Amino acid sequence: MTTAHDSSSVPTTLDLAGPLHRGRLVVEASAGTGKTYSLSALVARHLAERDDLAAANLLVVTFTRAAAAELRDRTRRAIVTARDALRSGERSESDLWIQPLLDGTAVQVAERRSRLEAAVTSFDDATITTIHGFCQQALRQLGLRSGAALGSEMTEGGNLLVEEVCRDLVVAELLDDVSRLSLGKDSGPSSALEKLVGAVKKVLGNPDAVVVPPPSVTKPVVAPEVLDRWSATVNAAAAAGPRRRAARGEMGYDDLVNGLFEALTGPDGGSVAAALRDRYALVMVDEFQDTDPRQWQIFSTAFPCTREAPSDLITVGDPKQAIYRFRGADVHAYLTAVAGQDAAYLGTNYRSDADLIAATNALLEGHALGDERIVASPVEPREGAPRRTLSGVDGEP
C-alpha cells in the first residue's frame, strides 16, 4: 500500500514482493538504498505478470549515459535471473521479489516464464536511455508530426554558439552605445559580453525562466531603460541561437527537449501524445529530482494518469538532492510533480554502517529541508551490516 505524497503524510516502504502498483507512483530513494536493483526488479515483475507489456513497450529514462548503460545491464540481468528462477522453481534468499512469480498455478508460472523468455530475446527493443536520447528517438518516430528538422546533425558545441551569438549582439550594440548593456561599475564590452553569455546559457537551460538582471546591478542603481535593454538582448540571443543552429543543419541537446515539448503542446499534440502512449506501456523516470519543468511537462503530457488515459508512470528520485541549486535541479518542479500522488520509499541502506545510519537519522529527524514537504525518511541498515567500519574510533577496531 502507498499513501498520497503531501506534507501531512509519510510514504510507506516500497515492497518489491507486494502487488504491482498501476498508474502513477512516486518512489523516494536515498543514497545507498538499492535504487537500481529496485527499478530492475520492478521491470522484471511487470514484464512477467502483464500480458499487455513487452520489452518494446518499456521506457526507462535516466540522466547520464553511464547510468543508462548500468541500468540497461542490471535490468537485463534481473529479467534473466527471474526467468532462471521460474525454470528451476527456486530463487536465491536475497531475491524476495521473485517469490510472487513462483506463486500460483503451473499455468500461471509457465505464462510468466514465457513472457520473460520473450523479454530476454527482444530486450534490445526496450528503450533505456537518457532523457535526450528519448527525445531524439521520439522525434524520429513521430516523423513529420514532430515538426523537427530530422536530418539535422547533433552537435555538442552549444557554448561556442552562444558565445558567437552574444558576441555579434554586443558588436551591434557597440555601433550604437554599449553602455545600454552595462550592468554595474564595469561598463566595457568584455564585461557586457561575459554577463550576456552567462545569462543566455541559463535561459537555454530553462526555457521557461524569466530574465532578470543579475544582483550586481543593484549597486549602483541602473537606469530602467538599461535593464529593459538587457532583458530584451538576453531573450534575443536565446532565440537566435536555435535559429542559427537550424540554419546550419545542426541540433543541440536542448533543441531535442524543446522540440518534443513543442510537438506535444502544439496543434497536433493530442496525436503525438497518443502515439507515445501506444508505444510505451510502462514508463520509469530515474533521478527524477533533476527533472526541470519542461522535461516534466513532456512526461506528464505524453503519459497522463487520468481515467481516460491511465498511464503507468513511475518516478524515482531523492527530493533531498533537489534543493541544491548547483545541480541545476528545480525543487519546485519536483514538488509540483509529486503532490498528491501515491508514494513509497526505499527504507534500507545497503552501503553504510549501522552507526552512521543511526546518526544521520537522528540528525535529520523532524527537520524540513528547504520546504515542509521535503523531510528525510528514516532508513535502516541492511541485515548483517557492520556497526562501525572506521578503525581507530573510540579505541574500537
Side-chain angles (χ1 to χ4, degrees):
M1 294 295 291
T2 56
T3 55
H5 195 288
D6 58 38
S7 59
S8 61
S9 63
V10 177
T12 57
T13 304
L14 179 66
D15 183 6
L16 294 177
L20 284 184
H21 186 281
R22 302 297 300 272
R24 178 84 165 90
L25 176 64
V26 176
V27 178
E28 179 185 331
S30 298
T33 54
K35 178 188 64 174
T36 304
Y37 176 87
S38 299
L39 276 175
S40 302
L42 286 175
V43 170
R45 284 201 57 193
H46 274 272
L47 286 169
E49 297 182 45
R50 293 172 53 179
D51 58 9
D52 65 335
L53 180 67
N57 308 124
L58 175 66
L59 171 62
V60 182
V61 172
T62 188
F63 282 80
T64 67
R65 293 176 180 175
E70 179 188 9
L71 193 52
R72 189 174 189 86
D73 179 64
R74 295 277 294 275
T75 299
R76 190 182 190 283
R77 274 191 278 163
I79 297 171
V80 171
T81 298
R83 179 205 62 186
D84 292 346
L86 290 177
R87 283 178 173 177
S88 66
E90 298 178 352
R91 61 165 178 82
S92 68
E93 291 186 9
S94 60
D95 291 328
L96 296 177
W97 59 271
I98 295 180
Q99 189 58 49
L101 305 183
L102 295 171
D103 296 336
T105 66
V107 172
Q108 290 174 324
V109 172
E111 289 176 343
R112 294 164 188 162
R113 183 179 65 247
S114 177
R115 294 185 191 117
L116 289 176
E117 288 172 344
V120 172
T121 302
S122 61
F123 185 73
D124 287 343
D125 295 334
T127 303
I128 304 177
T129 183
T130 64
I131 188 170
H132 295 103
F134 160 62
C135 291
Q136 186 175 30
Q137 290 184 39
L139 290 171
R140 286 177 176 172
Q141 292 165 5
L142 292 168
L144 295 177
R145 282 180 295 176
S146 71
L150 301 181
S152 298
E153 179 182 355
M154 284 298 303
T155 61
E156 297 187 13
N159 289 340
L160 294 177
L161 181 64
V162 170
E163 293 169 5
E164 174 188 313
V165 170
C166 292
R167 190 182 307 112
D168 291 347
L169 288 173
V170 170
V171 169
E173 293 292 340
L174 282 172
L175 297 177
D176 189 356
D177 182 1
V178 75
S179 65
R180 293 196 299 171
L181 290 181
S182 300
L183 302 177
K185 296 180 180 179
D186 189 353
S187 59
S190 296
S191 174
L193 177 59
E194 180 181 356
K195 291 184 174 68
L196 184 61
V197 168
V200 172
K201 288 179 180 178
K202 291 179 179 178
V203 170
L204 291 175
N206 185 0
D208 298 314
V210 177
V211 178
V212 295
S216 60
V217 307
T218 58
K219 294 180 180 180
V221 176
V222 179
E225 57 270 19
V226 174
L227 300 183
D228 291 342
R229 184 66 179 178
W230 167 261
S231 298
T233 304
V234 172
N235 287 325
R243 289 199 301 268
R244 188 172 297 190
R245 187 158 41 232
R248 296 173 178 175
E250 299 173 349
M251 179 177 288
Y253 290 109
D254 289 334
D255 297 326
L256 295 173
V257 175
N258 294 333
L260 186 54
F261 171 81
E262 291 167 3
L264 285 165
T265 57
D268 200 27
S271 65
V272 170
L276 291 174
R277 284 196 298 274
D278 288 342
R279 169 68 192 277
Y280 300 113
L282 175 63
V283 180
M284 295 184 174
V285 184
D286 184 25
E287 299 292 355
F288 185 62
Q289 75 279 348
D290 292 335
T291 305
D292 65 35
R294 179 152 293 195
Q295 292 167 348
W296 167 238
Q297 284 180 295
I298 287 175
F299 291 105
S300 62
T301 302
F303 309 105
C305 296
T306 62
R307 182 172 301 177
E308 296 76 19
S311 301
D312 290 318
L313 174 60
I314 301 174
T315 57
V316 184
D318 184 358
K320 299 184 296 298
Q321 296 183 38
I323 66 175
Y324 297 116
R325 186 178 297 276
F326 72 86
R327 292 173 57 94
D330 188 324
V331 65
H332 301 293
Y334 177 91
L335 293 173
T336 298
V338 304
Q341 303 296 335
D342 286 344
Y345 81 104
L346 301 179
T348 301
N349 184 301
Y350 297 92
R351 184 183 301 167
S352 306
D353 60 56
D355 278 0
L356 178 59
I357 293 172
T360 303
N361 286 338
L363 178 66
L364 297 178
E365 183 179 6
H367 293 287
L369 303 176
D371 188 282
E372 64 178 4
R373 291 167 289 180
I374 300 179
V375 179
S377 300
V379 296
E380 299 293 332
R382 73 184 188 279
E383 184 177 352
R387 189 171 72 84
R388 184 175 301 171
T389 55
L390 290 177
S391 60
V393 180
D394 295 335
E396 295 188 9

